[in-house]
Amino acid sequence: MTNERLSRRTVLRAGAVGAGIVAAGVPGIAVATRSRPVLTHGVQTGDVTTDGAILWTRADRPARMLVEVGYDEDFRRARTIRGPLLTPDTGGTGKLRLDHFAPGRTVHYRVTAEDLDGRASSAPLTGSFRTAPTGREDVRFTWSGDVAGQGWGINPDIGGLTAYRSMLRRDPDFFLHSGDTVYADGPLAETVTLPDGRLWRNVVTQEKTKVAETLAEYRGQFAYNMLDENVRAFTSRVPSIVQWDDHEVTNNWYPGEILDLPAYTEKRVDVLAARAFRAFHEWQPIDARRAVAGRVYRGFSYGRHVDVFVLDMRTYKDANNAPKDGKGVILGARQAKWLVDGLARSTATWKIVAADLPVGLTVPDGADIEGVANGLPGAPGGREHELAGVLRTLARRRVRNVVWLTADVHYTAAHHYSPDRAAVGDFDPFWEFVSGPLHAGAFGPNALDPTFGPQAVFTHAPPVANTSPLAGFQHFGEVNVDGRTGTLRVDLRDGHGVSLWSKTLTPQR
């Protein structure tokens, strides 16, 4: 369709995607008709294991999810699985576990939605994923975060969220989404005038014209990103492991917070977080069996070389205005014990900690602190105290080859932490790699807190805050583990997939 057809009336009609029938005129989205259901937002897989994955889709009306699945791309020997009902109770979304497959195999699937009376079916959508291996195979995955933030949404003039296209070209085994999967607190304008006079244009839906407060509005945040054809092409071929950060609810949130912002009529963050949490789990391909009681933190194994530990550094944290020199909380006792015990039990060559907040970068919230680092020299204080306990225990239990990956700060960097430079000396050196934004305003760099002895070995950040995606400061990271040697290579890539910096790590035995 031509760009001229993306009028304000057209894109606002697409607001129906969050709660009801899809409107006409949105690029890449079918028009709902009375005669047959429509799968409105593509397909996704996630939380991949050695025998399968979670499959997700959404229909425009109550319907039954039907899936053909097998090893053959032509589905000649496929089996058919009757999935769940797709109903308004979940905003039309539904998930099905595909299992009983062999490790390390490519699985093809074809999804349709069948009317409840069984007389009409949607057009099919197809996709594929690779099950996790069990041996010493090569492993490749990408990670990033921060999508459609700071006023930079789907711009049809540049082809949409193009970093997803670049990641798909890298053919990763899976994608680790490090949070800020949506910007529920970031309304979009139709146009933004750039400093050089150029015009940025956004596709805008009704839900993206204000901050999200209701369940329908939170659902609409996730629906918006899935309008993009690059995102749908990526999710149909690459399984995701997803965590959340703050913008899925509101900026810099913490439990118990009461907002003092005129844009919100609902001021209780706990109420907003519950609605956002429900929408997050409805719209993301997360396995309820691993996310026990709906939690976000969970773990995965990908062959002999890679174990991934997904953290939730939002749900259990203390207030941002808590004392900086006390004994603060960022993980909570239960999650911290889960992390330490899981890392200690892991027999994988590399233990990947997927953190939604960086370890040593100071992330302020006005005069307060919303991240781990408290910005003060000397002994660990505030939330650093809990993290120091984690690092200390890992050193005592001789857990080696732990690598931390994160996003959040909207630039890319490589940090090396060492007790030789730190205010504390009872932890082992480790690397933290930062990547992002995937499609949002670019910022940075942030100040490094000296507590754990970080050194910025590489940084790629814009000269001014909230630089648009046109300026070349969009990023994703890539990890390649050699199946034969066990070495791990990290590439910090720009939004076009160009490697800006790389580092190869040799495992300690």
Side-chain angles (χ1 to χ4, degrees):
M1 74 184 280
T2 62
N3 292 336
E4 287 74 20
R5 289 178 61 192
L6 281 171
S7 67
R8 177 172 175 81
R9 180 175 297 175
T10 295
V11 294
L12 287 181
R13 284 206 309 269
V17 301
I21 294 179
V22 174
V26 180
I29 298 297
V31 179
T33 68
R34 293 183 179 181
S35 60
R36 59 192 306 198
V38 175
L39 296 176
T40 57
H41 292 76
V43 287
Q44 303 181 74
T45 56
D47 286 9
V48 65
T49 62
T50 56
D51 74 335
I54 292 294
L55 174 62
W56 175 99
T57 196
R58 180 189 181 273
D60 68 337
R61 67 195 67 183
R64 171 75 66 180
M65 180 180 178
L66 298 178
V67 181
E68 298 169 85
V69 61
Y71 296 125
D72 301 319
E73 192 170 5
D74 58 12
F75 299 100
R76 284 183 300 178
R77 292 178 290 180
R79 54 188 165 105
T80 300
I81 305 173
R82 288 178 61 81
L85 291 178
L86 310 176
T87 72
D89 288 343
T90 58
T93 67
K95 293 184 279 190
L96 176 66
R97 165 152 282 283
L98 305 178
D99 53 17
H100 295 93
F101 293 100
R105 293 288 301 274
T106 297
V107 177
H108 298 274
Y109 58 86
R110 182 161 58 193
V111 184
T112 56
E114 182 183 74
D115 264 344
L116 297 185
D117 59 12
R119 292 188 295 180
S121 296
S122 69
L125 295 178
T126 60
S128 64
F129 65 93
R130 288 190 289 271
T131 55
T134 56
R136 299 182 182 276
E137 289 85 351
D138 295 346
V139 176
R140 171 181 295 169
F141 68 92
T142 57
W143 91 92
S144 189
D146 319 311
V147 181
Q150 288 75 48
W152 313 110
I154 301 170
N155 184 345
D157 297 339
I158 65 170
L161 309 185
T162 56
Y164 279 91
R165 183 193 310 161
S166 300
M167 285 199 299
L168 183 57
R169 291 192 185 119
R170 298 301 305 163
D171 191 27
D173 295 304
F174 62 90
F175 170 53
L176 178 60
H177 203 314
S178 301
D180 290 343
T181 57
V182 298
Y183 277 74
D185 58 341
L188 295 176
E190 268 192 84
T191 59
V192 180
T193 302
L194 303 177
D196 61 6
R198 288 180 296 171
L199 203 64
W200 174 281
R201 295 192 311 119
N202 287 315
V203 171
V204 182
T205 64
Q206 185 66 50
E207 290 87 352
K208 295 299 293 185
T209 61
K210 67 179 291 292
V211 297
E213 298 178 85
T214 68
L215 175 59
E217 288 167 349
Y218 277 111
R219 287 170 172 168
Q221 308 305 307
F222 296 95
Y224 178 80
N225 289 3
M226 293 298 292
L227 294 178
D228 184 78
E229 61 184 9
N230 303 291
V231 174
R232 297 196 309 278
F234 183 81
T235 59
S236 71
R237 292 290 183 265
V238 181
S240 297
I241 298 174
V242 184
Q243 62 191 141
W244 73 346
D245 194 27
D246 56 335
H247 291 286
E248 286 83 358
V249 180
T250 190
N251 188 40
N252 296 345
W253 76 276
Y254 57 85
E257 183 181 9
I258 304 298
L259 297 176
D260 184 19
L261 297 172
Y264 287 88
T265 57
E266 175 55 73
K267 308 292 187 180
R268 297 166 296 174
V269 165
D270 288 354
V271 173
L272 298 174
R275 294 167 182 167
F277 192 72
R278 176 172 171 179
F280 175 78
H281 278 274
E282 288 174 346
W283 280 81
Q284 299 289 9
I286 294 174
D287 186 353
R289 297 190 307 183
R290 289 180 175 266
V292 178
R295 72 189 187 196
V296 175
Y297 70 89
R298 59 207 193 279
F300 300 91
S301 293
Y302 210 92
R304 294 287 298 276
H305 287 309
V306 175
D307 279 353
V308 179
F309 298 84
V310 180
L311 300 186
D312 180 355
M313 304 172 84
R314 288 290 164 187
T315 305
Y316 315 103
K317 66 187 292 191
D318 55 12
N320 290 350
N321 59 3
K324 298 178 182 179
D325 55 356
K327 294 184 178 181
V329 176
I330 188 71
L331 299 175
R334 182 179 178 184
Q335 184 179 191
K337 184 178 187 304
W338 167 85
L339 175 62
V340 169
D341 289 346
L343 289 169
R345 285 194 301 265
S346 172
T347 59
T349 306
W350 295 101
K351 293 88 171 166
I352 307 298
V353 178
D356 44 303
L357 285 167
V359 171
L361 289 173
T362 303
V363 185
D365 179 21
D368 301 323
I369 293 294
E370 79 113 359
V372 177
N374 64 11
L376 302 176
R383 297 172 188 143
E384 294 174 336
H385 184 272
E386 185 179 54
L387 188 61
V390 169
L391 297 176
R392 184 182 305 117
T393 304
L394 294 179
R396 187 176 67 248
R397 297 173 72 169
R398 299 184 180 181
V399 179
R400 303 289 185 255
N401 308 320
V402 178
V403 174
W404 293 66
L405 303 180
T406 191
D408 183 66
V409 289
H410 294 235
Y411 66 96
T412 192
H415 302 146
H416 184 258
Y417 293 80
S418 174
D420 296 336
R421 299 184 294 265
V424 292
D426 51 354
F427 69 94
D428 291 331
F430 66 94
W431 283 90
E432 173 188 61
F433 300 103
V434 184
S435 189
L438 197 57
H439 185 94
F443 291 81
N446 291 39
L448 278 168
D449 183 294
T451 299
F452 298 111
Q455 179 183 27
V457 180
F458 174 80
T459 299
H460 189 245
V464 296
N466 198 17
T467 299
S468 88
L470 294 177
F473 291 94
Q474 307 298 290
H475 306 101
F476 65 89
E478 178 179 309
V479 174
N480 283 275
V481 179
D482 187 284
R484 183 178 60 85
T485 65
T487 57
L488 181 148
R489 171 177 165 139
V490 174
D491 283 85
L492 301 179
R493 300 185 180 274
D494 68 13
H496 300 291
V498 176
S499 180
L500 305 174
W501 181 89
S502 67
K503 177 70 176 180
T504 299
L505 304 179
T506 301
Q508 298 180 45
R509 301 299 181 184

